Amino acid sequence: MALQTYVQTIARTLMEEMRRDERVVLLGQDVGRRGGVFLATEHLFDAFGPDRVIDTPLSEAAIIGAAVGMAVHGLRPVAEIQFADYVFPGFDQLVSQAAKLRYRSGGAFTAPMVVRMPAGGGVKGGHHHSQNPEAHFVHTPGLQVVYPSTPSDARGCLQTAVRGDDPVVFLEPKRLYRASKEEVPRDVDQLLPVGVGVRRREGDDVVLVSYGASMRETLQAAEALAQQGIAADVIDLRWLMPWDQALVLERVAAVGRVVLVSEAPHSGSMLSEVAATIAEEVLDMLEAPPLRVSGFDTPYPYAQDRAYLPGPNRILYAVQQVLDY
Amino acid sequence: MALQTYVQTIARTLMEEMRRDERVVLLGQDVGRRGGVFLATEHLFDAFGPDRVIDTPLSEAAIIGAAVGMAVHGLRPVAEIQFADYVFPGFDQLVSQAAKLRYRSGGAFTAPMVVRMPAGGGVKGGHHHSQNPEAHFVHTPGLQVVYPSTPSDARGCLQTAVRGDDPVVFLEPKRLYRASKEEVPRDVDQLLPVGVGVRRREGDDVVLVSYGASMRETLQAAEALAQQGIAADVIDLRWLMPWDQALVLERVAAVGRVVLVSEAPHSGSMLSEVAATIAEEVLDMLEAPPLRVSGFDTPYPYAQDRAYLPGPNRILYAVQQVLDY
Amino acid sequence: MITDAQRFQPFSEEPIRLIDQSGAWLGAFPCDLDDATLHAMYRHLVLARAVDERLVLLQRLGKISFTASAAGHEAAQVGTAHALRVGRDWIFPYYRDTALAIAVGWPLVELFGQMMGTRADAARGRQMPAHPGSRDLRIFTVASPIASHLPAATGTAIAQKLAGAGDATVCTFGDGATSEGDWHAALNFAGAQGAPIVFVCENNRYAISVDLRHQTGSDGLAVKAHAYGMPGYLVDGMDLLACYYVMRSLLEAARDGLGPALVEMTVYRYGPHSSADDDSVYRDPAEVAAWRERDPIVRFRRFLTARGGWDEAAERELRAAVTRTVDEAVEAAEAAGPVPVEWLFDDVSSRPTPQLERQRERFRAARRAAGEDVAD
Amino acid sequence: MITDAQRFQPFSEEPIRLIDQSGAWLGAFPCDLDDATLHAMYRHLVLARAVDERLVLLQRLGKISFTASAAGHEAAQVGTAHALRVGRDWIFPYYRDTALAIAVGWPLVELFGQMMGTRADAARGRQMPAHPGSRDLRIFTVASPIASHLPAATGTAIAQKLAGAGDATVCTFGDGATSEGDWHAALNFAGAQGAPIVFVCENNRYAISVDLRHQTGSDGLAVKAHAYGMPGYLVDGMDLLACYYVMRSLLEAARDGLGPALVEMTVYRYGPHSSADDDSVYRDPAEVAAWRERDPIVRFRRFLTARGGWDEAAERELRAAVTRTVDEAVEAAEAAGPVPVEWLFDDVSSRPTPQLERQRERFRAARRAAGEDVAD
Ligand SMILES: Cc1ncc(C[n+]2csc(CCOP(=O)(O)OP(=O)(O)O)c2C)c(N)n1
Ligand SMILES: Cc1ncc(C[n+]2csc(CCOP(=O)(O)OP(=O)(O)O)c2C)c(N)n1
Ligand SMILES: [Mg+2]
Ligand SMILES: [Mg+2]
């Protein structure tokens, strides 16, 4: 098998899903002839034509809202938001319509749909091309949220998301679009179950919990720790709602020390939820406080694009603190 | 002094602020002749006319966005969103424009403005008239967030918000609009400093932390505990960003047991942030896990309007758990 | 089948009208509906008004928490309903569309069940009153945020176009809704895609207290269609047959692939915005009285009477039957009983999350500890 | 002062044009501008194009991370700029408005500082390239989200109206922007309030790859003004003087309390959407070539030459001066040096929160622990 980048994997998986099920349609800005500004929908317009790969007007509300209506009519829409930062003009459609439809109709209507969006920084895009808005979705009951960190996870989670019966916010770490390559199987189902995380490394000295783009720096930190003889257990949450509470609690209880990593702003983040849950459920097993290594409570900067990210040094510093505690 | 309800206090305080500073203008749906659907702007149209009390079209993006432009031009706009649930069509204006303006312009432009919004449940309004969206704002760097629980706090915080130099999301507990009455001073400044919480009760057995509408049930629970001889220390955060970390940590460290209360959905809430911070900063002082008593990860229901709220019984149950731990 | 004479001109200065105040037919073509249909329409008008009045009463009695009266909008809604192919075309209504819901056949027991939040509510007591919905009738369950249903309506219409079965969508809203960004997004996307959808504005000239002059600078609302490359029709919304025929021709055009349209129906709401509103603060009672003079139900009855086949006896019989029907429905809806507390945890997603399961457990434990009945 | 002949008709079928391709004056009134003004306009065109080309170069050299070329839009932008009263009227531009920013006097050192994110950037390196802003010039700092600046522009214009000083606002955007809900919200509110604002659409018929036919069903964009009760003008955006005179008359009308207007300027972008785009996938090279034939700078030069007072020597001198100016500005902007890392913590709010202070401390401690230079 040849190596395949993250973004190629998205395009290939969409191709397979559209072949498998003709109810799957794509919509978004530039998803058609252009194949998406990141080429995440490359070749699909040629393969399926304008009825199934729909270039929309420049309106995120139209994109997300229309996807709800298509889903209600029996299609399986996969919507693209060009950058996660641009979901906000369509945020109401996610929060007020998609997320609550099943509930408010007592189950009469559902919105099986996927809203894909490249997220995260490190691409010199400034604060409107770098954000990680996952906490907003996690705090919106009715949405599933997933942020896979590798090409093959992206494939498995996308299959699950497209075939599921819920609205799924599908975040893609844009700085890994080309940087992350793997051998990815094709034409076989590899659905990754909703809400199940994965251990990327095993170790007994400290648990590192992360997801999405920050997995890369987290694994780099774990590697550096290994050099120093410190064995980190590394959990990739993959799904953020529901998230794999059982796995995290089990490992943290066993190890007693945990550092949480993600690049979203610090206050009110996904990490806050994980840390709060840890404190609530396994307090007595903690040998040190659960530390969060995160983005800052600032808009994402431009000139200091890299400094904003929780890089290996900041992770190592936190690990040192929990080890020394 | 006569008793004054929460909503009357809002209207009176706005009246005073508008008299004090002619740059203060109001805008929103029905804020004019109607005086607001809750009468939070009663009499102001008659007093100041259509130039300073502006009935807007039905567009939250227009309301919040225009407030940004007015602020940039030197006015001090106070915008009303009719229900906090309806902030989402204007969410992008808060997140992408208001919150980031100072940062992205390197301080050249600022958006001193207040966005008032009645929030919270218990009014048989179903999920689109009951939500508590504060976590979204807390996770948006650049915004100040405040959710006062009493008429006089509302007055002091509103004065601070109107006179400050930042965009402030001002949440008002609508189910206390008429239910909460106090003697409220008039025509004197009583600015409550940004980020400073308050102890509503003192006690050494357990700390209860809450804010906004849930303060009422929290205090009821504290009263019930007192009957049982259990002394609760009750903190009203008031400001959610920045929030009074120093006060909370000091009390929790001293008492060792804490229960956090708010009615927003459980996952990714303001309480998660407070609990995570407690675990991070004062782990060793905890005698029991910090428990969150919150709304559920469901849209706000209609028929079970009251059951959704963290009422005294649920609070007492959690307190019992941390005491028995 | 629509004849040439039954096609209307967009962007007219005067509203399209087919019956005058005295009930006389003004059309350039003969009314091609039979008595049974016309009487069914009339029955829907009368029934809707009766339901409306009952809801006001139930609200005053504290049996429902809220109501948003459709009185004054009935002709627009019932006319629209009869132009639809029920069960095939999709309907995206808003909260004031009780007459529309009734006229397409929403069972009254479900209606009152929804209003009271009892087990008779097909939506399981999840929403406040005035939020109709029905899977069988293809009524997309109403959501409170104004105009938030429009993009979904466009999406459904695009799906209909792709399906190629010749179905269409109707989406209704008030004048205030036209200011929302979602409204624009939906009409623009529908226009770009040529989707088979008719957007219907029930223009009562107020959004709560905000009058049309503060809502928009445009001269009426039909002209807004220019922005989307679709025709815009101004229709007398107190004239049931004008609404019916315009909608019938536009739905047929949509089915034929001629794309979307915008219809402005001029109506008036006789009551306050809702049971929570006091309209005397912002509306002149004389204005209300003047519009009451033009009651759409009276006008349609005059038309029936003038046409022959409708008399006092028929009227009396109808009124009595309607009262009985409403009585029975209210009773049945109430008798269904309150929805169980724990239903609040259902239908969030296809499977409950472990997080929610845990919350439910703690909720149950707390209730048990407090001696509350967990089963209820 | 605007003469009657200098008032234009809204909603014309053909774009308003004052100079033809050969440079001949077509106006119904004489061009009332003196040579100094006309030559200043031309200098801005040439300077803007030179800056544009330099930015493309700097991007290829890796000195800036991104560029969005204004080539093809210059006449629209420079014409608009000269119609403004700089420092009094407010400008709400978008990312492609470098020529506009230059023509109102944005210092080139600041421009290149912004593009490179150095200390020469008045905005302290906070945003990606192509995000102009200036407090002195009343240029509202550009934000990337399309159309998100429009509601603020309306707010500023309403504030201007309340202030009563006779100032006005200009707000620019692309054709794609017209689809956003915020666009609608802003125009509608401005229309309802009669705010002194001119909305300018630089219609290059593409939003990245999405062509106008997929963007909207409407016949052009000026017609969208119908929806807001304001006049809409279709203008040849490659004709600097058409843009200038239309804007001058509309700004004067706005100042006189006649309310807002929408102007559609038909332009073409010669380059790809941005340095990150490959336009060959969706645009026919022949189409690009045809538009290049109609270069707005060439057309204006022909006008100057035909009018007299501009010759080869003047041209040579201008080009040389422009190159020097650009060279110097680039050099100075680069020499200002990179912004310090810890600036990332400033300007979030009027005072840093305790939360952010703590984050900054931990950041500093981690860097110190890793042996990084904290001062930098
Ligand atoms: C997004 C949003 N903002 C505000 C409200 C509050 N609200 C409920 S009804 C209403 C007025 C609607 O007026 P209109 O669209 O004209 O319909 P009408 O009630 O007159 O039939 C408002 C402002 C809401 N429901 N949703
Ligand atoms: C809200 C939002 N959605 C998507 C984008 C991504 N984006 C950047 S530029 C652009 C196209 C804009 O086209 P147009 O308005 O016509 O301006 P032009 O670039 O052609 O001058 C898009 C989709 C964005 N910046 N903001
Ligand atoms: Mg109305
Ligand atoms: Mg364009």
Side-chain angles (χ1 to χ4, degrees):
Chain A
M1 275 185 299
L3 288 179
Q4 198 173 279
T5 65
Y6 195 110
V7 73
Q8 284 165 345
T9 306
I10 297 290
R12 294 259 158 81
T13 309
L14 289 173
M15 175 80 84
E16 291 173 28
E17 290 302 305
M18 293 180 77
R19 285 211 186 108
R20 189 189 50 77
D21 183 351
E22 63 171 24
R23 296 172 306 167
V24 179
V25 298
L26 309 187
L27 71 167
Q29 296 154 17
D30 305 292
V31 299
R33 209 169 296 280
R34 181 76 182 80
V37 294
F38 291 103
L39 303 184
T41 56
E42 201 179 11
H43 305 311
L44 301 177
F45 183 84
D46 289 343
F48 301 104
D51 279 0
R52 291 185 65 199
V53 185
I54 303 173
D55 266 329
T56 66
L58 211 168
S59 163
E60 289 72 18
I63 295 169
I64 297 172
V68 171
M70 291 172 163
V72 164
H73 196 268
L75 295 176
R76 296 258 154 179
V78 179
E80 176 176 298
I81 298 297
Q82 206 159 77
F83 285 83
D85 314 72
Y86 302 140
V87 72
F88 297 116
F91 195 59
D92 189 53
Q93 285 297 319
L94 265 178
V95 168
S96 299
Q97 285 289 344
K100 297 180 173 65
L101 181 58
R102 182 188 289 266
Y103 197 74
R104 80 162 186 268
S105 67
F109 298 113
T110 60
M113 56 188 267
V114 182
V115 184
R116 294 181 38 247
M117 51 184 96
V123 297
K124 277 271 185 185
H127 40 260
H128 288 125
H129 296 90
S130 305
Q131 291 169 91
N132 289 279
E134 64 271 15
H136 295 295
F137 309 123
V138 167
H139 191 56
T140 302
L143 299 179
Q144 288 180 352
V145 187
V146 62
Y147 200 164
S149 72
T150 69
S152 41
D153 270 19
R155 181 165 188 276
C157 292
L158 189 53
Q159 289 179 337
T160 303
V162 171
R163 302 184 201 183
D165 289 319
D166 297 286
V168 183
V169 175
F170 195 98
L171 296 135
E172 299 166 7
K174 74 174 88 69
R175 77 169 177 282
L176 303 185
Y177 262 169
R178 275 154 234 282
S180 175
K181 290 192 194 92
E182 265 181 359
E183 294 190 346
V184 184
R186 294 202 193 154
D187 297 315
V188 291
D189 284 355
Q190 215 183 19
L191 283 76
L192 289 173
V194 175
V196 177
V198 60
R199 282 171 84 184
R200 296 281 178 212
R201 279 181 90 111
E202 313 204 346
D204 280 327
D205 296 323
V206 65
V207 181
L208 303 180
V209 179
S210 187
Y211 58 87
S214 292
M215 277 312 299
R216 163 170 274 225
E217 288 79 22
T218 304
L219 287 166
Q220 285 167 353
E223 188 56 45
L225 288 169
Q227 307 285 322
Q228 302 169 35
I230 298 162
D233 209 276
V234 179
I235 294 177
D236 181 344
L237 289 178
R238 291 201 288 224
W239 297 86
L240 307 184
M241 184 48 68
W243 60 281
D244 200 339
Q245 200 160 314
L247 175 63
V248 171
L249 296 178
E250 191 256 308
R251 294 315 302 148
V252 172
V255 174
R257 299 174 199 273
V258 59
V259 169
L260 311 163
V261 186
S262 106
E263 58 183 88
H266 186 81
S267 293
S269 69
M270 178 67 202
L271 301 188
S272 314
E273 180 58 33
V274 177
T277 306
I278 289 172
E280 220 163 65
E281 302 285 347
V282 294
L283 184 78
D284 291 347
M285 318 302 283
L286 290 176
E287 314 266 357
L291 292 189
R292 292 170 284 166
V293 184
S294 59
F296 305 112
D297 285 357
T298 75
Y300 202 104
Y302 171 71
Q304 307 90 345
D305 187 49
R306 283 278 157 183
Y308 186 89
L309 294 176
N313 285 346
R314 286 174 56 209
I315 300 170
L316 292 174
Y317 177 73
V319 169
Q320 204 54 55
Q321 288 193 303
V322 304
L323 292 176
D324 293 349
Y325 193 79
Chain B
M1 273 187 300
L3 287 179
Q4 197 173 281
T5 66
Y6 194 111
V7 72
Q8 284 166 344
T9 306
I10 297 291
R12 294 259 157 81
T13 309
L14 289 172
M15 174 81 83
E16 292 173 27
E17 290 302 304
M18 292 181 78
R19 285 210 186 109
R20 188 188 52 75
D21 183 350
E22 64 171 22
R23 296 172 306 167
V24 178
V25 298
L26 309 187
L27 70 167
Q29 296 154 18
D30 305 293
V31 299
R33 209 170 297 279
R34 183 74 182 83
V37 293
F38 291 103
L39 303 184
T41 56
E42 201 179 10
H43 304 312
L44 301 176
F45 184 84
D46 289 342
F48 302 104
D51 279 2
R52 293 184 64 198
V53 184
I54 304 173
D55 266 329
T56 65
L58 211 169
S59 163
E60 289 72 17
I63 295 168
I64 297 172
V68 172
M70 290 172 163
V72 164
H73 195 269
L75 295 176
R76 297 258 155 178
V78 179
E80 176 175 297
I81 298 297
Q82 206 158 78
F83 285 83
D85 314 72
Y86 302 139
V87 71
F88 297 116
F91 195 59
D92 189 52
Q93 286 297 320
L94 265 179
V95 168
S96 298
Q97 285 289 345
K100 296 181 173 65
L101 181 58
R102 183 188 288 265
Y103 197 74
R104 80 161 187 269
S105 67
F109 298 113
T110 60
M113 57 189 267
V114 181
V115 184
R116 295 180 39 248
M117 51 184 95
V123 297
K124 277 271 184 185
H127 40 261
H128 288 126
H129 296 90
S130 306
Q131 291 170 92
N132 290 279
E134 63 271 15
H136 296 294
F137 308 123
V138 167
H139 192 55
T140 303
L143 299 179
Q144 290 180 350
V145 187
V146 62
Y147 200 165
S149 73
T150 69
S152 41
D153 270 20
R155 181 166 188 273
C157 293
L158 189 52
Q159 289 179 337
T160 303
V162 171
R163 303 185 201 182
D165 289 319
D166 297 286
V168 183
V169 175
F170 195 98
L171 296 136
E172 300 166 8
K174 76 174 87 69
R175 79 169 175 281
L176 303 185
Y177 262 169
R178 274 153 236 283
S180 176
K181 290 192 194 92
E182 264 181 0
E183 294 190 345
V184 183
R186 293 202 193 153
D187 297 316
V188 291
D189 284 357
Q190 215 184 19
L191 282 76
L192 289 173
V194 174
V196 177
V198 60
R199 283 170 84 186
R200 297 280 178 211
R201 278 180 92 110
E202 313 205 344
D204 279 325
D205 295 323
V206 64
V207 180
L208 303 180
V209 180
S210 187
Y211 57 87
S214 292
M215 277 313 297
R216 164 169 275 224
E217 287 79 22
T218 304
L219 286 167
Q220 286 166 352
E223 188 56 44
L225 288 168
Q227 307 284 321
Q228 302 169 35
I230 299 162
D233 209 276
V234 180
I235 295 177
D236 181 345
L237 289 177
R238 291 202 289 225
W239 297 86
L240 306 184
M241 184 48 69
W243 59 282
D244 200 340
Q245 199 160 315
L247 175 63
V248 171
L249 296 178
E250 192 256 308
R251 295 312 303 148
V252 173
V255 174
R257 298 174 200 274
V258 60
V259 169
L260 312 163
V261 186
S262 106
E263 57 182 90
H266 187 80
S267 293
S269 71
M270 178 69 201
L271 301 187
S272 313
E273 179 59 33
V274 176
T277 305
I278 289 171
E280 219 164 66
E281 302 286 346
V282 294
L283 185 76
D284 291 347
M285 317 302 282
L286 290 175
E287 314 267 356
L291 291 190
R292 293 171 284 166
V293 184
S294 60
F296 305 112
D297 285 356
T298 74
Y300 202 104
Y302 170 71
Q304 307 89 345
D305 187 49
R306 283 277 157 184
Y308 186 88
L309 293 176
N313 285 346
R314 286 175 56 210
I315 300 170
L316 292 175
Y317 177 72
V319 169
Q320 205 54 55
Q321 287 193 303
V322 304
L323 292 177
D324 292 350
Y325 193 81
Chain C
M1 242 273 307
I2 301 292
T3 66
D4 270 351
Q6 290 169 355
R7 287 185 220 286
F8 301 90
Q9 284 307 312
F11 305 115
S12 60
E13 294 271 308
E14 281 298 304
I16 295 166
R17 192 170 286 134
L18 293 179
I19 326 179
D20 73 11
Q21 296 297 343
S22 73
W25 175 257
L26 304 172
F29 55 92
C31 171
D32 61 4
L33 300 171
D34 58 22
D35 273 359
T37 307
L38 290 166
H39 293 174
M41 288 171 165
Y42 185 60
R43 178 173 174 276
H44 283 142
L45 291 177
V46 172
L47 180 58
R49 183 67 62 88
V51 166
D52 211 275
E53 285 164 359
R54 186 65 59 95
L55 289 169
V56 172
L57 194 69
L58 289 171
Q59 196 277 330
R60 291 208 183 115
L61 292 172
K63 297 216 173 188
I64 64 175
S65 64
F66 170 93
T67 182
S69 164
H73 288 233
E74 294 98 338
Q77 295 179 18
V78 174
T80 298
H82 280 264
L84 282 159
R85 292 193 306 201
V86 175
R88 285 198 54 177
D89 296 326
W90 276 85
I91 310 168
F92 286 70
Y94 81 121
Y95 52 82
R96 206 175 292 291
D97 281 326
T98 27
L100 172 56
I102 290 170
V104 295
W106 197 32
L108 284 194
V109 180
E110 280 188 33
L111 183 154
F112 285 108
Q114 201 286 312
M115 301 285 174
M116 295 194 246
T118 70
R119 278 174 184 262
D121 176 13
R124 312 184 86 203
R126 290 278 163 56
Q127 290 204 103
M128 64 184 300
H131 286 58
S134 166
R135 193 192 166 96
D136 294 341
L137 298 169
R138 297 199 162 175
I139 302 176
F140 183 78
T141 307
V142 169
S144 319
I146 300 288
S148 71
H149 60 310
L150 273 96
T154 292
T156 292
I158 293 172
Q160 287 173 321
K161 188 183 117 193
L162 299 183
D167 296 328
T169 292
V170 167
C171 179
T172 61
F173 44 84
D175 44 303
T178 63
S179 296
E180 279 288 358
D182 284 358
W183 187 88
H184 176 70
L187 271 85
N188 189 55
F189 195 14
Q193 286 283 325
I197 178 167
V198 183
F199 295 100
V200 178
C201 180
E202 299 178 30
N203 178 11
N204 60 22
R205 299 166 55 236
Y206 289 91
I208 309 186
S209 73
V210 179
D211 62 18
L212 203 55
R213 204 169 43 82
H214 287 87
Q215 195 64 248
T216 184
S218 75
D219 196 9
L221 300 167
V223 296
K224 291 183 188 275
H226 282 300
Y228 312 108
M230 59 177 85
Y233 298 85
L234 177 64
V235 182
D236 181 346
M238 311 297 257
D239 175 349
L240 188 152
L241 290 179
C243 298
Y244 167 77
Y245 275 105
V246 168
M247 288 304 293
R248 197 175 90 171
S249 74
L250 294 179
L251 282 166
E252 186 148 311
R255 287 188 190 104
D256 287 349
L258 299 178
L262 170 64
V263 179
E264 172 187 356
M265 298 184 181
T266 53
V267 296
Y268 198 79
R269 87 169 134 70
Y270 291 147
H273 171 73
S274 75
S275 50
D277 184 35
D278 171 10
D279 61 319
S280 70
V281 185
Y282 57 84
R283 284 203 309 195
D284 186 347
E287 178 184 297
V288 184
W291 280 90
R292 281 220 182 255
E293 284 299 305
R294 289 176 253 167
D295 192 300
I297 304 185
V298 173
R299 199 194 308 184
F300 194 67
R301 183 179 163 188
R302 286 187 188 135
F303 168 75
L304 290 186
T305 312
R307 193 170 183 273
W310 193 258
D311 56 19
E312 275 300 328
E315 181 76 19
R316 259 195 316 277
E317 199 181 310
L318 173 65
R319 300 262 166 194
V322 156
T323 306
R324 253 188 337 268
T325 308
V326 172
D327 287 346
E328 283 164 20
V330 171
E331 206 168 303
E334 205 167 0
V339 301
V341 170
E342 285 211 12
W343 277 14
L344 90 85
F345 292 99
D346 299 339
D347 299 321
V348 179
S349 45
S350 55
R351 240 166 303 162
T353 64
Q355 282 74 21
L356 185 57
E357 292 283 28
R358 212 170 167 75
Q359 291 161 33
R360 183 203 281 248
E361 267 162 41
R362 287 179 58 87
F363 174 75
R364 216 176 262 174
R367 297 193 82 205
R368 207 174 279 125
E372 292 174 52
D373 183 359
V374 178
D376 139 72
Chain D
M1 243 271 307
I2 301 292
T3 67
D4 269 350
Q6 289 168 356
R7 288 185 220 286
F8 301 90
Q9 283 307 311
F11 305 115
S12 59
E13 294 273 308
E14 280 298 303
I16 296 165
R17 193 171 283 135
L18 293 178
I19 325 176
D20 73 9
Q21 296 297 343
S22 73
W25 176 257
L26 303 173
F29 56 91
C31 171
D32 60 5
L33 300 171
D34 59 21
D35 272 0
T37 307
L38 290 166
H39 293 174
M41 287 170 164
Y42 185 59
R43 178 173 174 277
H44 284 141
L45 291 177
V46 173
L47 181 57
R49 184 67 62 88
V51 166
D52 211 275
E53 285 163 0
R54 186 64 59 93
L55 289 169
V56 172
L57 194 69
L58 290 170
Q59 196 276 332
R60 291 208 184 117
L61 293 171
K63 297 217 173 188
I64 62 176
S65 64
F66 171 92
T67 183
S69 165
H73 287 233
E74 294 99 338
Q77 295 180 17
V78 174
T80 298
H82 280 264
L84 282 160
R85 292 194 304 201
V86 175
R88 286 199 55 178
D89 295 326
W90 277 84
I91 310 168
F92 287 71
Y94 81 120
Y95 52 81
R96 206 175 293 291
D97 281 325
T98 27
L100 173 55
I102 290 170
V104 294
W106 197 31
L108 285 195
V109 179
E110 280 187 33
L111 183 154
F112 284 108
Q114 201 286 312
M115 301 285 174
M116 294 194 246
T118 70
R119 279 175 184 261
D121 177 13
R124 313 184 85 204
R126 291 276 164 56
Q127 290 204 104
M128 66 184 298
H131 286 59
S134 166
R135 193 191 165 97
D136 294 341
L137 297 169
R138 298 198 162 176
I139 302 175
F140 184 78
T141 308
V142 169
S144 319
I146 300 289
S148 70
H149 60 310
L150 272 96
T154 291
T156 292
I158 293 172
Q160 287 173 321
K161 188 184 116 189
L162 299 183
D167 296 328
T169 292
V170 167
C171 178
T172 61
F173 45 82
D175 44 302
T178 63
S179 296
E180 280 287 359
D182 283 0
W183 187 88
H184 176 68
L187 271 85
N188 189 54
F189 196 14
Q193 286 283 326
I197 179 166
V198 183
F199 296 99
V200 179
C201 180
E202 300 178 29
N203 178 11
N204 60 20
R205 298 166 55 237
Y206 288 91
I208 310 186
S209 74
V210 179
D211 62 18
L212 203 55
R213 204 169 43 82
H214 287 88
Q215 195 63 246
T216 185
S218 75
D219 195 10
L221 301 167
V223 295
K224 290 183 189 275
H226 282 299
Y228 312 107
M230 59 176 84
Y233 298 86
L234 176 63
V235 182
D236 180 345
M238 311 297 258
D239 174 348
L240 188 151
L241 290 179
C243 297
Y244 168 77
Y245 275 106
V246 168
M247 288 303 294
R248 198 174 90 172
S249 74
L250 294 179
L251 282 166
E252 186 146 312
R255 286 189 189 104
D256 288 349
L258 299 178
L262 170 64
V263 179
E264 171 186 356
M265 299 183 180
T266 53
V267 297
Y268 198 79
R269 88 168 134 69
Y270 290 147
H273 171 73
S274 75
S275 50
D277 183 35
D278 172 11
D279 62 319
S280 70
V281 184
Y282 58 84
R283 284 203 310 197
D284 185 346
E287 178 185 297
V288 183
W291 279 90
R292 282 220 181 255
E293 283 298 305
R294 289 176 254 167
D295 191 302
I297 304 184
V298 174
R299 198 194 310 183
F300 194 67
R301 184 181 163 187
R302 287 189 188 132
F303 167 75
L304 290 185
T305 312
R307 194 172 184 274
W310 194 259
D311 58 16
E312 274 300 328
E315 181 76 19
R316 260 196 316 276
E317 199 180 310
L318 173 64
R319 302 262 166 193
V322 157
T323 307
R324 254 189 336 269
T325 308
V326 172
D327 286 346
E328 283 165 19
V330 171
E331 205 168 304
E334 204 167 1
V339 299
V341 170
E342 285 212 11
W343 278 12
L344 89 85
F345 292 100
D346 299 338
D347 299 321
V348 179
S349 45
S350 55
R351 239 166 304 162
T353 63
Q355 282 74 21
L356 185 55
E357 292 283 28
R358 213 170 166 74
Q359 291 162 32
R360 183 203 279 248
E361 267 163 41
R362 286 180 59 87
F363 174 75
R364 215 176 263 174
R367 297 192 82 204
R368 206 175 280 124
E372 292 174 52
D373 183 0
V374 178
D376 140 71

